[in-house]
Amino acid sequence: GAVVSQHPSRVICKSGTSVKIECRSLDFQATTMFWYRQFPKQSLMLMATSNEGSKATYEQGVEKDKFLINHASLTLSTLTVTSAHPEDSSFYICSARSAGETQYFGPGTRLLVL
Amino acid sequence: SQKIEQNSEALNIQEGKTATLTCNYTNYSPAYLQWYRQDPGRGPVFLLLIRENEKEKRKERLKVTFDTTLKQSLFHITASQPADSATYLCALGDTGRRALTFGSGTRLQVQP
C-alpha cells in the first residue's frame, strides 16, 4: 500500500524556537497533502490543505503565519511551527492522497515545547 | 454545524466475538465514508471506504455498512482478536472538499 513518512517522529524544543516537520509520500505522487493536529483522547483536527505548487488553505482558527506550510513537490510537504509555545505541544500528523479519495497517513510527530 | 458521533466509551469484548462500532452524523451529506485504525502514538491506518450508493463493503474479517437515511455507518470485526485492540475512527468526505472530517474514535479492547 501507499506509504507516507514523517520526520522527525519526536521533537522537544524550547519556547520561542521554530520546528520543521517533513511529510513525504514514498511510493506515489501526492497531489494534495493535509496537516492535522491531535490532542490526547481527541479527534484529528484538520489544520490545512496543501496542493503542490500553490498556497495552503488553512482552516478557521489556524494561524497561517504561525504554521507555515510548503508543498514544494508532489512527494514532500513541510510544516514549520514558528515561535513555538507550550500550547503548541501536540501530535502532528500529515496525510497524502493522489487521485482517489483515500488518504494515507504518516506515523505522526510528537512535539513538546518546554 | 456538521457533527460526527462515535461512542466515546471503550468497547470491551471477548476474543472470538463480533465487535460492532457505530458512527452517526448530522448536518452532513457525505459522498463517502472511511474507517481507520489508530494505535497509541501512531498515525491512522486506512481500513475501508464505502460510498454513498453502497450499502455494504467487506474486507476479510471487516464489514462496513452505510445507511444514508439513518445517517449511520456500522463497522464490524468478526472473530475478533486481541491484536484488533485499537481506536477506530470514522471519517466523512465529499466530492467538493477533499479533506476528511473525523469522528473522535471508539477504543476497542478485545480480551483474550
Side-chain angles (χ1 to χ4, degrees):
Chain A
V3 179
V4 176
S5 70
Q6 268 183 254
H7 179 81
S9 59
R10 194 177 192 90
V11 58
I12 301 173
C13 69
K14 291 183 179 179
S15 186
T17 60
S18 293
V19 174
K20 181 187 277 190
I21 302 170
E22 288 188 352
C23 177
R24 293 181 185 272
S25 56
L26 298 185
D27 52 1
F28 68 103
Q29 293 189 325
T31 51
T32 307
M33 288 184 166
F34 304 90
W35 287 95
Y36 294 84
R37 182 166 49 182
Q38 187 177 35
F39 292 103
K41 298 191 187 300
Q42 293 189 24
S43 184
L44 280 75
M45 298 302 296
L46 179 68
M47 298 175 68
T49 301
S50 164
N51 292 299
E52 184 261 341
S54 62
K55 287 185 178 179
T57 303
Y58 290 81
E59 294 299 296
Q60 194 171 6
V62 178
E63 299 174 57
K64 63 179 181 182
D65 294 329
K66 181 169 183 62
F67 299 100
L68 301 178
I69 292 172
N70 187 328
H71 193 160
S73 75
L74 285 172
T75 59
L76 173 64
S77 177
T78 60
L79 167 69
T80 301
V81 183
T82 62
S83 187
H85 287 91
E87 57 266 29
D88 298 323
S89 300
S90 188
F91 191 50
Y92 291 87
I93 312 174
C94 73
S95 70
R97 62 182 281 184
S98 55
E101 297 97 344
T102 301
Q103 287 186 29
Y104 297 95
F105 284 82
T109 297
R110 176 76 58 193
L111 170 64
L112 177 61
V113 184
L114 302 176
Chain B
S1 60
Q2 297 171 352
K3 196 173 179 183
I4 302 173
E5 288 185 349
Q6 291 186 256
N7 194 341
S8 58
E9 304 243 345
L11 178 64
N12 291 290
I13 64 168
Q14 280 300 120
E15 182 176 8
K17 301 291 186 185
T18 296
T20 299
L21 285 70
T22 306
C23 176
N24 295 298
Y25 60 91
T26 54
N27 298 324
Y28 205 139
S29 295
Y32 54 89
L33 186 148
Q34 302 186 23
W35 283 89
Y36 288 81
R37 169 187 172 137
Q38 187 175 26
D39 291 285
R42 305 291 295 171
V45 174
F46 171 74
L47 296 175
L48 279 169
L49 179 152
I50 186 166
R51 301 181 195 284
E52 61 178 336
N53 60 349
E54 298 175 313
K55 296 288 186 189
E56 183 179 297
K57 208 76 168 285
R58 290 175 186 260
K59 179 183 174 183
E60 298 172 353
R61 293 186 295 113
L62 309 179
K63 184 178 88 170
V64 172
T65 62
F66 193 8
D67 189 325
T68 54
T69 301
L70 291 178
K71 294 186 182 293
Q72 180 183 79
S73 175
L74 299 178
F75 176 77
H76 307 271
I77 305 175
T78 58
S80 59
Q81 305 165 0
D84 296 325
S85 298
T87 295
Y88 291 86
L89 304 166
C90 75
L92 276 59
D94 57 48
T95 52
R97 174 177 158 86
R98 302 195 79 202
L100 293 171
T101 303
F102 281 85
S104 55
T106 297
R107 172 140 180 78
L108 172 67
Q109 188 70 40
V110 181
Q111 308 289 346

Short mmCIF file of all heavy atoms in Angstrom, two decimals, chain A residues 31-32 34 36 38 43-44 46 49 51 59 91 93 97-103 105-107 110, chain B residues 32 34 36 38 40-46 49 51 89 94 97-105:
data_model
loop_
_atom_site.label_atom_id
_atom_site.label_comp_id
_atom_site.label_asym_id
_atom_site.label_seq_id
_atom_site.Cartn_x
_atom_site.Cartn_y
_atom_site.Cartn_z
N THR A 31 -1.03 14.66 -4.94
CA THR A 31 -1.47 15.96 -5.44
C THR A 31 -1.89 16.86 -4.29
O THR A 31 -1.81 18.08 -4.37
CB THR A 31 -2.66 15.79 -6.39
OG1 THR A 31 -3.66 14.99 -5.76
CG2 THR A 31 -2.22 15.11 -7.68
N THR A 32 -2.35 16.24 -3.23
CA THR A 32 -2.79 17.01 -2.06
C THR A 32 -2.25 16.37 -0.79
O THR A 32 -2.26 15.15 -0.66
CB THR A 32 -4.34 17.05 -1.97
OG1 THR A 32 -4.87 17.51 -3.20
CG2 THR A 32 -4.80 17.97 -0.85
N PHE A 34 -2.37 16.92 3.59
CA PHE A 34 -3.13 17.54 4.67
C PHE A 34 -2.31 17.49 5.95
O PHE A 34 -1.57 16.54 6.19
CB PHE A 34 -4.44 16.78 4.91
CG PHE A 34 -5.31 16.64 3.69
CD1 PHE A 34 -5.18 15.56 2.84
CD2 PHE A 34 -6.27 17.60 3.38
CE1 PHE A 34 -5.97 15.41 1.72
CE2 PHE A 34 -7.07 17.48 2.26
CZ PHE A 34 -6.92 16.38 1.43
N TYR A 36 -2.80 17.62 10.10
CA TYR A 36 -3.75 17.51 11.20
C TYR A 36 -3.00 17.68 12.52
O TYR A 36 -1.80 17.45 12.61
CB TYR A 36 -4.42 16.13 11.22
CG TYR A 36 -5.32 15.82 10.05
CD1 TYR A 36 -4.79 15.33 8.86
CD2 TYR A 36 -6.70 15.96 10.14
CE1 TYR A 36 -5.62 15.02 7.78
CE2 TYR A 36 -7.54 15.64 9.08
CZ TYR A 36 -6.98 15.17 7.91
OH TYR A 36 -7.81 14.86 6.85
N GLN A 38 -3.60 16.53 16.70
CA GLN A 38 -4.42 15.69 17.57
C GLN A 38 -3.96 15.84 19.01
O GLN A 38 -2.81 15.54 19.34
CB GLN A 38 -4.34 14.22 17.14
CG GLN A 38 -5.29 13.30 17.90
CD GLN A 38 -5.23 11.87 17.39
OE1 GLN A 38 -4.17 11.38 16.99
NE2 GLN A 38 -6.37 11.18 17.38
N SER A 43 -10.09 13.90 18.62
CA SER A 43 -10.06 13.52 17.22
C SER A 43 -8.99 14.30 16.47
O SER A 43 -8.39 15.24 16.99
CB SER A 43 -11.42 13.80 16.60
OG SER A 43 -11.44 13.36 15.27
N LEU A 44 -8.74 13.88 15.25
CA LEU A 44 -7.83 14.62 14.39
C LEU A 44 -8.53 15.90 13.94
O LEU A 44 -9.65 15.87 13.45
CB LEU A 44 -7.46 13.81 13.14
CG LEU A 44 -6.41 12.75 13.27
CD1 LEU A 44 -6.95 11.53 13.98
CD2 LEU A 44 -5.89 12.35 11.91
N LEU A 46 -8.23 19.02 11.36
CA LEU A 46 -7.55 19.49 10.17
C LEU A 46 -7.03 20.90 10.38
O LEU A 46 -7.76 21.78 10.85
CB LEU A 46 -8.50 19.46 8.97
CG LEU A 46 -7.95 19.94 7.64
CD1 LEU A 46 -6.90 18.95 7.13
CD2 LEU A 46 -9.06 20.08 6.61
N THR A 49 -4.88 22.38 4.19
CA THR A 49 -4.81 21.55 2.98
C THR A 49 -3.77 22.16 2.06
O THR A 49 -3.78 23.39 1.83
CB THR A 49 -6.17 21.51 2.28
OG1 THR A 49 -7.14 20.98 3.18
CG2 THR A 49 -6.11 20.65 1.03
N ASN A 51 -1.80 21.94 -1.67
CA ASN A 51 -1.66 21.41 -3.03
C ASN A 51 -0.30 21.81 -3.58
O ASN A 51 0.16 22.92 -3.37
CB ASN A 51 -2.77 21.97 -3.93
CG ASN A 51 -4.13 21.43 -3.54
OD1 ASN A 51 -4.36 20.23 -3.58
ND2 ASN A 51 -5.02 22.31 -3.16
N GLU A 59 -7.56 26.09 7.84
CA GLU A 59 -8.86 26.00 8.48
C GLU A 59 -9.05 27.21 9.40
O GLU A 59 -8.08 27.85 9.84
CB GLU A 59 -8.98 24.72 9.29
CG GLU A 59 -8.97 23.46 8.43
CD GLU A 59 -10.13 23.43 7.45
OE1 GLU A 59 -11.29 23.36 7.89
OE2 GLU A 59 -9.86 23.45 6.22
N PHE A 91 0.34 16.30 18.84
CA PHE A 91 0.71 15.25 17.90
C PHE A 91 0.31 15.75 16.52
O PHE A 91 -0.88 15.99 16.26
CB PHE A 91 -0.03 13.96 18.29
CG PHE A 91 0.43 12.72 17.58
CD1 PHE A 91 1.77 12.39 17.52
CD2 PHE A 91 -0.49 11.87 16.98
CE1 PHE A 91 2.20 11.23 16.88
CE2 PHE A 91 -0.07 10.69 16.34
CZ PHE A 91 1.28 10.38 16.30
N ILE A 93 0.08 15.20 12.50
CA ILE A 93 0.02 14.09 11.55
C ILE A 93 -0.27 14.64 10.16
O ILE A 93 -1.15 15.50 10.00
CB ILE A 93 -1.12 13.09 11.90
CG1 ILE A 93 -1.08 12.73 13.39
CG2 ILE A 93 -1.01 11.84 11.05
CD1 ILE A 93 -2.26 11.86 13.81
N ARG A 97 -2.85 12.21 -0.49
CA ARG A 97 -3.72 11.48 -1.40
C ARG A 97 -3.34 11.83 -2.83
O ARG A 97 -2.83 12.91 -3.10
CB ARG A 97 -5.20 11.77 -1.15
CG ARG A 97 -5.60 13.21 -1.36
CD ARG A 97 -7.07 13.45 -1.05
NE ARG A 97 -7.94 13.02 -2.13
CZ ARG A 97 -9.24 13.19 -2.15
NH1 ARG A 97 -9.85 13.74 -1.11
NH2 ARG A 97 -9.98 12.80 -3.15
N SER A 98 -3.62 10.90 -3.74
CA SER A 98 -3.38 11.19 -5.14
C SER A 98 -4.72 11.45 -5.80
O SER A 98 -5.44 12.36 -5.41
CB SER A 98 -2.61 10.05 -5.81
OG SER A 98 -3.28 8.83 -5.62
N ALA A 99 -5.11 10.64 -6.75
CA ALA A 99 -6.35 10.93 -7.47
C ALA A 99 -7.59 10.40 -6.76
O ALA A 99 -8.67 10.94 -6.92
CB ALA A 99 -6.28 10.36 -8.88
N GLY A 100 -7.41 9.36 -5.98
CA GLY A 100 -8.57 8.74 -5.31
C GLY A 100 -8.96 9.46 -4.04
O GLY A 100 -8.41 10.50 -3.71
N GLU A 101 -9.94 8.89 -3.34
CA GLU A 101 -10.42 9.53 -2.11
C GLU A 101 -9.63 9.13 -0.87
O GLU A 101 -9.68 9.80 0.15
CB GLU A 101 -11.89 9.18 -1.85
CG GLU A 101 -12.86 9.69 -2.91
CD GLU A 101 -13.18 8.61 -3.92
OE1 GLU A 101 -12.46 7.59 -3.99
OE2 GLU A 101 -14.16 8.80 -4.66
N THR A 102 -8.92 8.03 -0.96
CA THR A 102 -8.25 7.52 0.24
C THR A 102 -7.08 8.40 0.63
O THR A 102 -6.26 8.78 -0.21
CB THR A 102 -7.76 6.08 0.02
OG1 THR A 102 -8.89 5.27 -0.31
CG2 THR A 102 -7.11 5.54 1.28
N GLN A 103 -7.01 8.72 1.91
CA GLN A 103 -5.86 9.45 2.45
C GLN A 103 -4.96 8.45 3.17
O GLN A 103 -5.44 7.60 3.91
CB GLN A 103 -6.31 10.53 3.43
CG GLN A 103 -6.96 11.72 2.78
CD GLN A 103 -7.25 12.83 3.76
OE1 GLN A 103 -6.54 12.98 4.77
NE2 GLN A 103 -8.27 13.60 3.49
N PHE A 105 -1.89 8.15 5.85
CA PHE A 105 -1.35 8.96 6.92
C PHE A 105 0.10 8.62 7.24
O PHE A 105 0.53 7.47 7.14
CB PHE A 105 -2.19 8.80 8.19
CG PHE A 105 -3.49 9.55 8.12
CD1 PHE A 105 -4.57 9.02 7.46
CD2 PHE A 105 -3.61 10.81 8.70
CE1 PHE A 105 -5.77 9.72 7.38
CE2 PHE A 105 -4.80 11.51 8.62
CZ PHE A 105 -5.88 10.96 7.96
N GLY A 106 0.82 9.64 7.67
CA GLY A 106 2.15 9.42 8.21
C GLY A 106 2.05 8.92 9.64
O GLY A 106 0.97 8.89 10.22
N PRO A 107 3.17 8.54 10.22
CA PRO A 107 3.18 8.00 11.58
C PRO A 107 3.03 9.05 12.67
O PRO A 107 2.89 8.71 13.84
CB PRO A 107 4.54 7.30 11.67
CG PRO A 107 5.39 8.04 10.71
CD PRO A 107 4.49 8.47 9.59
N ARG A 110 5.47 13.86 17.41
CA ARG A 110 5.11 14.33 18.75
C ARG A 110 5.96 15.55 19.04
O ARG A 110 7.18 15.47 19.08
CB ARG A 110 5.39 13.23 19.78
CG ARG A 110 5.15 13.65 21.22
CD ARG A 110 3.71 13.70 21.58
NE ARG A 110 3.02 12.43 21.38
CZ ARG A 110 1.69 12.30 21.39
NH1 ARG A 110 0.93 13.37 21.59
NH2 ARG A 110 1.14 11.13 21.20
N TYR B 32 -18.78 9.78 0.68
CA TYR B 32 -18.18 8.52 1.07
C TYR B 32 -17.78 8.58 2.54
O TYR B 32 -17.72 9.67 3.14
CB TYR B 32 -16.96 8.18 0.20
CG TYR B 32 -15.91 9.25 0.15
CD1 TYR B 32 -14.88 9.29 1.09
CD2 TYR B 32 -15.95 10.25 -0.82
CE1 TYR B 32 -13.92 10.28 1.05
CE2 TYR B 32 -14.99 11.24 -0.86
CZ TYR B 32 -13.99 11.25 0.07
OH TYR B 32 -13.03 12.24 0.04
N GLN B 34 -15.06 6.65 5.43
CA GLN B 34 -13.89 5.79 5.58
C GLN B 34 -13.73 5.40 7.05
O GLN B 34 -14.10 6.15 7.95
CB GLN B 34 -12.62 6.52 5.10
CG GLN B 34 -12.69 6.96 3.66
CD GLN B 34 -11.39 7.55 3.16
OE1 GLN B 34 -10.33 7.27 3.69
NE2 GLN B 34 -11.47 8.38 2.13
N TYR B 36 -10.77 4.09 9.80
CA TYR B 36 -9.34 3.99 10.05
C TYR B 36 -9.11 3.34 11.41
O TYR B 36 -9.93 3.44 12.32
CB TYR B 36 -8.69 5.37 10.07
CG TYR B 36 -8.57 6.04 8.72
CD1 TYR B 36 -9.64 6.70 8.14
CD2 TYR B 36 -7.36 6.01 8.03
CE1 TYR B 36 -9.53 7.32 6.90
CE2 TYR B 36 -7.22 6.64 6.79
CZ TYR B 36 -8.31 7.28 6.25
OH TYR B 36 -8.20 7.90 5.03
N GLN B 38 -6.33 3.42 14.58
CA GLN B 38 -5.22 4.19 15.12
C GLN B 38 -4.73 3.54 16.41
O GLN B 38 -5.51 3.33 17.34
CB GLN B 38 -5.60 5.65 15.38
CG GLN B 38 -4.41 6.51 15.80
CD GLN B 38 -4.74 7.98 15.95
OE1 GLN B 38 -5.88 8.35 16.22
NE2 GLN B 38 -3.73 8.84 15.78
N PRO B 40 -1.99 3.76 19.71
CA PRO B 40 -1.47 4.88 20.51
C PRO B 40 -0.15 5.41 19.95
O PRO B 40 0.77 4.65 19.65
CB PRO B 40 -1.27 4.24 21.89
CG PRO B 40 -2.27 3.15 21.95
CD PRO B 40 -2.34 2.60 20.56
N GLY B 41 -0.07 6.73 19.79
CA GLY B 41 1.16 7.36 19.33
C GLY B 41 1.48 7.12 17.87
O GLY B 41 2.61 7.36 17.43
N ARG B 42 0.48 6.67 17.10
CA ARG B 42 0.72 6.38 15.68
C ARG B 42 -0.31 7.10 14.82
O ARG B 42 -1.37 7.52 15.30
CB ARG B 42 0.61 4.87 15.41
CG ARG B 42 1.50 4.01 16.27
CD ARG B 42 2.95 4.19 15.92
NE ARG B 42 3.25 3.73 14.56
CZ ARG B 42 4.41 3.93 13.95
NH1 ARG B 42 5.37 4.58 14.55
NH2 ARG B 42 4.60 3.48 12.73
N GLY B 43 -0.02 7.22 13.55
CA GLY B 43 -0.99 7.80 12.63
C GLY B 43 -2.06 6.79 12.26
O GLY B 43 -1.87 5.59 12.40
N PRO B 44 -3.22 7.26 11.81
CA PRO B 44 -4.29 6.35 11.40
C PRO B 44 -3.90 5.50 10.20
O PRO B 44 -3.15 5.94 9.33
CB PRO B 44 -5.44 7.30 11.02
CG PRO B 44 -5.10 8.60 11.69
CD PRO B 44 -3.62 8.67 11.69
N VAL B 45 -4.43 4.28 10.17
CA VAL B 45 -4.20 3.37 9.07
C VAL B 45 -5.53 3.11 8.38
O VAL B 45 -6.52 2.73 9.03
CB VAL B 45 -3.59 2.04 9.56
CG1 VAL B 45 -3.49 1.04 8.42
CG2 VAL B 45 -2.22 2.30 10.17
N PHE B 46 -5.57 3.31 7.07
CA PHE B 46 -6.81 3.14 6.31
C PHE B 46 -7.26 1.69 6.31
O PHE B 46 -6.46 0.77 6.12
CB PHE B 46 -6.57 3.61 4.86
CG PHE B 46 -7.70 3.28 3.93
CD1 PHE B 46 -8.87 3.99 3.97
CD2 PHE B 46 -7.58 2.23 3.02
CE1 PHE B 46 -9.93 3.69 3.11
CE2 PHE B 46 -8.61 1.92 2.17
CZ PHE B 46 -9.79 2.65 2.21
N LEU B 49 -13.26 1.96 2.66
CA LEU B 49 -14.01 3.11 2.15
C LEU B 49 -15.33 2.60 1.61
O LEU B 49 -15.36 1.57 0.91
CB LEU B 49 -13.22 3.82 1.05
CG LEU B 49 -13.85 5.05 0.38
CD1 LEU B 49 -12.78 5.99 -0.12
CD2 LEU B 49 -14.75 4.65 -0.80
N ARG B 51 -18.94 4.11 -0.36
CA ARG B 51 -19.53 5.28 -1.00
C ARG B 51 -21.02 5.38 -0.66
O ARG B 51 -21.65 4.41 -0.24
CB ARG B 51 -19.36 5.20 -2.51
CG ARG B 51 -17.91 5.13 -2.92
CD ARG B 51 -17.74 5.07 -4.43
NE ARG B 51 -16.39 4.64 -4.78
CZ ARG B 51 -15.33 5.41 -4.70
NH1 ARG B 51 -15.45 6.65 -4.31
NH2 ARG B 51 -14.14 4.94 -5.01
N LEU B 89 -11.52 5.03 13.97
CA LEU B 89 -12.03 6.35 13.60
C LEU B 89 -12.87 6.24 12.34
O LEU B 89 -12.48 5.55 11.39
CB LEU B 89 -10.87 7.30 13.30
CG LEU B 89 -9.80 7.50 14.39
CD1 LEU B 89 -8.58 8.18 13.80
CD2 LEU B 89 -10.37 8.34 15.51
N ASP B 94 -16.55 14.47 1.08
CA ASP B 94 -17.43 14.76 -0.04
C ASP B 94 -16.60 15.11 -1.26
O ASP B 94 -15.40 15.29 -1.16
CB ASP B 94 -18.43 15.86 0.31
CG ASP B 94 -17.75 17.15 0.76
OD1 ASP B 94 -16.82 17.59 0.06
OD2 ASP B 94 -18.15 17.70 1.79
N ARG B 97 -15.07 19.15 -1.11
CA ARG B 97 -13.98 19.40 -0.17
C ARG B 97 -13.16 18.13 -0.05
O ARG B 97 -13.66 17.08 0.31
CB ARG B 97 -14.59 19.77 1.17
CG ARG B 97 -13.65 19.93 2.32
CD ARG B 97 -14.45 20.38 3.54
NE ARG B 97 -13.79 20.08 4.79
CZ ARG B 97 -12.89 20.86 5.37
NH1 ARG B 97 -12.55 21.98 4.81
NH2 ARG B 97 -12.35 20.53 6.52
N ARG B 98 -11.89 18.21 -0.35
CA ARG B 98 -11.10 16.98 -0.41
C ARG B 98 -10.66 16.48 0.97
O ARG B 98 -10.23 15.37 1.11
CB ARG B 98 -9.88 17.22 -1.29
CG ARG B 98 -10.26 17.66 -2.71
CD ARG B 98 -9.10 17.53 -3.65
NE ARG B 98 -8.90 16.16 -4.06
CZ ARG B 98 -7.74 15.71 -4.53
NH1 ARG B 98 -6.70 16.51 -4.62
NH2 ARG B 98 -7.62 14.45 -4.90
N ALA B 99 -10.75 17.35 1.97
CA ALA B 99 -10.33 16.92 3.31
C ALA B 99 -11.40 16.04 3.94
O ALA B 99 -12.58 16.12 3.58
CB ALA B 99 -10.08 18.14 4.19
N LEU B 100 -10.99 15.22 4.88
CA LEU B 100 -11.91 14.37 5.63
C LEU B 100 -12.26 15.04 6.95
O LEU B 100 -11.48 15.81 7.50
CB LEU B 100 -11.25 13.03 5.93
CG LEU B 100 -10.95 12.11 4.74
CD1 LEU B 100 -10.11 10.92 5.20
CD2 LEU B 100 -12.25 11.62 4.12
N THR B 101 -13.45 14.73 7.44
CA THR B 101 -13.85 15.15 8.77
C THR B 101 -13.94 13.92 9.64
O THR B 101 -14.66 12.97 9.29
CB THR B 101 -15.21 15.86 8.73
OG1 THR B 101 -15.13 16.97 7.82
CG2 THR B 101 -15.58 16.39 10.11
N PHE B 102 -13.21 13.92 10.74
CA PHE B 102 -13.09 12.73 11.58
C PHE B 102 -14.00 12.77 12.79
O PHE B 102 -14.24 13.83 13.39
CB PHE B 102 -11.65 12.59 12.07
CG PHE B 102 -10.72 12.00 11.06
CD1 PHE B 102 -10.11 12.80 10.11
CD2 PHE B 102 -10.46 10.64 11.05
CE1 PHE B 102 -9.26 12.25 9.15
CE2 PHE B 102 -9.61 10.08 10.11
CZ PHE B 102 -9.01 10.89 9.16
N GLY B 103 -14.46 11.59 13.17
CA GLY B 103 -15.08 11.42 14.46
C GLY B 103 -13.98 11.29 15.51
O GLY B 103 -12.80 11.21 15.18
N SER B 104 -14.38 11.26 16.78
CA SER B 104 -13.40 11.22 17.86
C SER B 104 -12.88 9.82 18.12
O SER B 104 -11.92 9.64 18.87
CB SER B 104 -13.99 11.80 19.14
OG SER B 104 -15.18 11.11 19.45
N GLY B 105 -13.49 8.82 17.50
CA GLY B 105 -12.97 7.46 17.64
C GLY B 105 -13.57 6.69 18.80
O GLY B 105 -14.02 7.27 19.79
#
